[in-house]
Amino acid sequence: MDKNLSIEQIFKRLDEIVSVMENDSTSIDEMVTLYDEGAVLFTQCKKKLLAAESKINVISKKYK
Amino acid sequence: MKTIIYSITQISNQVNSVLNHNFSNIWIKGQISSFKIYPSGHAYFTLKDSSSQIDCVFFNYTNSDNIFDSTNIEVTAYGDISIYKDKGKFQFIVNNLIRSGESELWFKYIELKNKLTKEGLFDDIHKRSIPEFPENIAIITSNSGSVIKDILTILKRRANYLNIDIYDVLIQGEQSSKEIKQAICDINDFKDVDLIIIARGGGSIEDFQPFNEEITVRAIYSSNIPIIAALGHRTDVTLSDYVADKFVGTPSEAAEICCHSKIDLMEKASNLMFKIDDNVFKIIKNSTSKYENLHLRSISKNPKLYLSNIDSKLDHLVFKLNEGIFSKIFKYNLKLNNLYNVISASNVTNIKRKGFALVRDVKDKIIKSIKTVDKDDVITIELIDGKIESTIKRKIDG
């Protein structure tokens, strides 16, 4: 799994996982795999948010 | 030719309709005099030049965006000519008042707005959708002043996961639109940015001129990256607002709405994870009950188990039967014992054992009262171990 997924990609994938899981035809094996993936994504998202610190660049010389 | 004779109302109505048809949405330039605001909020005044004057009314003036000290100033007024039927006078119904210095900018604004509207620049079809989870944001504004400080304060508090590039440009003056355009182009060409915010604080129509210039409007239109226009505290919408993918009233508002707060994101992620957990739990529960059902059904189909089930059913019946019989016998025994106790308690022998005696007359009848006997009668007293024969000496009332 790509560790550098953007927050948007993480949420998109989590949404997908939930909707596949909500489908009655999903097998237990698939469920287990999806659960694992969901748990990893969740942790990844949490870490990303907790560790975040805005990087602010000021680009000015060219314009003034 | 038939002569037409009008009533006053008829001619007033007809002239009014001619005026409305030909003199609606027009601009008139002149000097304001006799400016009066009534308690209703309407303003009445005259517009004049060196040789003529027109009565004007501005309905709901006090609620309009035009309030300024209006006496003796040159203005351009926008509105419709109509007849004031009560007096038979024509008047100018004003919707907008612009000071003369500003009017030129206004005309340019209207002209450019019409031109770009015709070209379709403001059509919704061209609006890019604002990303739900931007991570890299570019802000085009002046890096000095309170606007950028306000935006950064909010973004740092709400969403410190964002990477922010500030493009420090002039936000007023002739150079401004060129710098804004250059910044938009550079971001599109060189930067991996999800969203652009163009911001400036409040000001007059002149201050906002860069945002009403064609060069700025076209640059915003051409951007591939979605743009939020956040041009604050003004009464009129700029052309940049119209062309942007979204516009908000103040720069702070842009900072509030451009991204999810960190807390929201955490909660959203937790909710999704909860849903995932819940689904797993549900399927485990369903599978378990399915398995249990299958297990039970397989048991009922196995002949050996079926027979042994019958055996055990029989055993159970026999047990129940025995149990029933025994309990009945037990109950009868109990009853019998009780009866026996009652009977034995009332047994005369038992009473005698306690020292009581039975007294009989000569005819062997039990004497229950002294009234049935007399002095010198012979009586028999029965005790537990034998009898005493005696004669009554005296009767004493009890």
Side-chain angles (χ1 to χ4, degrees), chain B residues 270-281:
Chain B
S270 297
N271 281 341
L272 283 169
M273 199 55 216
F274 176 75
K275 273 190 186 169
I276 291 173
D277 274 346
D278 199 41
N279 277 313
V280 170
F281 176 71

Side-chain angles (χ1 to χ4, degrees), chain B residues 129-140:
Chain B
S129 59
I130 305 296
E132 198 184 347
F133 304 101
E135 285 183 73
N136 301 300
I137 290 184
I139 303 169
I140 300 175

Side-chain angles (χ1 to χ4, degrees), chain B residues 109 113 116-117 121-124 127 211-212 217 220-221 229 231 234 236-247:
Chain B
Y109 169 91
K113 190 183 168 194
L116 299 178
T117 305
L121 257 72
F122 306 134
D123 292 351
D124 283 347
K127 304 281 183 210
F211 301 95
N212 283 325
V217 180
I220 294 174
Y221 175 77
L231 311 169
R234 77 219 177 280
D236 303 295
V237 179
T238 68
L239 298 181
S240 292
D241 290 316
Y242 283 121
V243 78
D245 301 296
K246 189 178 179 74
F247 77 91

Side-chain angles (χ1 to χ4, degrees), chain B residues 169-224:
Chain B
V169 296
L170 286 171
I171 45 163
Q172 62 193 71
E174 275 179 26
Q175 278 300 308
S176 174
S177 55
K178 282 175 200 155
E179 289 189 3
I180 294 168
K181 181 198 169 178
Q182 191 58 50
I184 293 173
C185 291
D186 285 356
I187 297 165
N188 271 276
D189 290 346
F190 307 117
K191 283 282 182 174
D192 184 16
V193 161
D194 307 311
L195 177 68
I196 299 171
I197 296 173
I198 300 178
R200 75 149 288 158
S204 65
I205 183 173
E206 288 98 335
D207 293 336
F208 281 108
Q209 188 48 29
F211 301 95
N212 283 325
E213 274 174 30
E214 193 166 356
I215 183 171
T216 314
V217 180
R218 288 198 186 277
I220 294 174
Y221 175 77
S222 305
S223 171
N224 293 317

Side-chain angles (χ1 to χ4, degrees), chain A residues 1 3-4 6-7 12-14 16-18 26 29-32 34 38 41-43 49 56 60 62 64:
Chain A
M1 206 179 299
K3 280 198 170 178
N4 290 318
S6 67
I7 291 173
K12 202 177 152 207
R13 183 65 192 140
L14 282 174
E16 279 170 9
I17 290 175
V18 171
T26 309
D29 284 347
E30 273 178 275
M31 278 276 185
V32 172
L34 287 171
L41 285 174
F42 175 67
T43 319
L49 288 172
I56 298 170
S60 64
K62 203 173 163 184
K64 288 232 163 151

Side-chain angles (χ1 to χ4, degrees), chain B residues 178-369:
Chain B
K178 282 175 200 155
E179 289 189 3
I180 294 168
K181 181 198 169 178
Q182 191 58 50
I184 293 173
C185 291
D186 285 356
I187 297 165
N188 271 276
D189 290 346
F190 307 117
K191 283 282 182 174
D192 184 16
V193 161
D194 307 311
L195 177 68
I196 299 171
I197 296 173
I198 300 178
R200 75 149 288 158
S204 65
I205 183 173
E206 288 98 335
D207 293 336
F208 281 108
Q209 188 48 29
F211 301 95
N212 283 325
E213 274 174 30
E214 193 166 356
I215 183 171
T216 314
V217 180
R218 288 198 186 277
I220 294 174
Y221 175 77
S222 305
S223 171
N224 293 317
I225 301 163
I227 295 181
I228 297 180
L231 311 169
H233 312 298
R234 77 219 177 280
T235 52
D236 303 295
V237 179
T238 68
L239 298 181
S240 292
D241 290 316
Y242 283 121
V243 78
D245 301 296
K246 189 178 179 74
F247 77 91
V248 290
T250 63
S252 306
E253 204 182 327
E256 294 281 353
I257 62 139
C258 73
C259 57
H260 286 281
S261 79
K262 202 159 133 173
I263 296 164
D264 286 351
L265 283 180
M266 289 278 207
E267 204 178 292
K268 200 175 158 72
S270 297
N271 281 341
L272 283 169
M273 199 55 216
F274 176 75
K275 273 190 186 169
I276 291 173
D277 274 346
D278 199 41
N279 277 313
V280 170
F281 176 71
K282 262 186 210 152
I283 199 142
I284 289 173
K285 208 177 142 196
N286 281 344
S287 313
T288 314
S289 67
K290 259 184 209 162
Y291 170 76
E292 278 170 354
N293 274 336
L294 282 173
H295 182 63
L296 286 175
R297 276 164 61 193
S298 70
I299 286 172
S300 65
K301 293 282 184 290
N302 181 332
K304 267 190 186 170
L305 279 171
Y306 180 69
L307 283 177
S308 76
N309 268 349
I310 287 183
D311 270 358
S312 74
K313 262 186 192 162
L314 272 176
D315 284 349
H316 188 67
L317 273 174
V318 171
F319 173 76
K320 277 271 176 195
L321 214 58
N322 284 340
E323 195 184 45
I325 290 163
F326 283 130
S327 80
K328 224 160 206 174
I329 291 171
F330 179 75
K331 270 183 200 163
Y332 283 142
N333 267 334
L334 209 67
K335 216 170 181 178
L336 216 57
N337 276 339
N338 282 341
L339 280 170
Y340 174 76
N341 285 337
V342 173
I343 290 162
S344 55
S346 59
N347 192 327
V348 180
T349 321
N350 266 351
I351 296 169
K352 283 180 184 163
R353 252 185 215 124
K354 289 174 187 166
F356 293 95
L358 268 180
V359 184
R360 294 176 195 271
D361 60 15
V362 281
K363 291 173 188 165
D364 220 20
K365 272 182 92 178
I366 292 170
I367 298 163
K368 290 178 183 168
S369 162

Side-chain angles (χ1 to χ4, degrees), chain A residues 7 35 54-55 57 59 63, chain B residues 135 160 164-166 179 186:
Chain A
I7 291 173
Y35 177 82
S54 285
K55 289 179 219 98
N57 304 313
I59 300 135
Y63 299 96
Chain B
E135 285 183 73
N160 65 351
I164 301 161
D165 289 336
I166 299 162
E179 289 189 3
D186 285 356

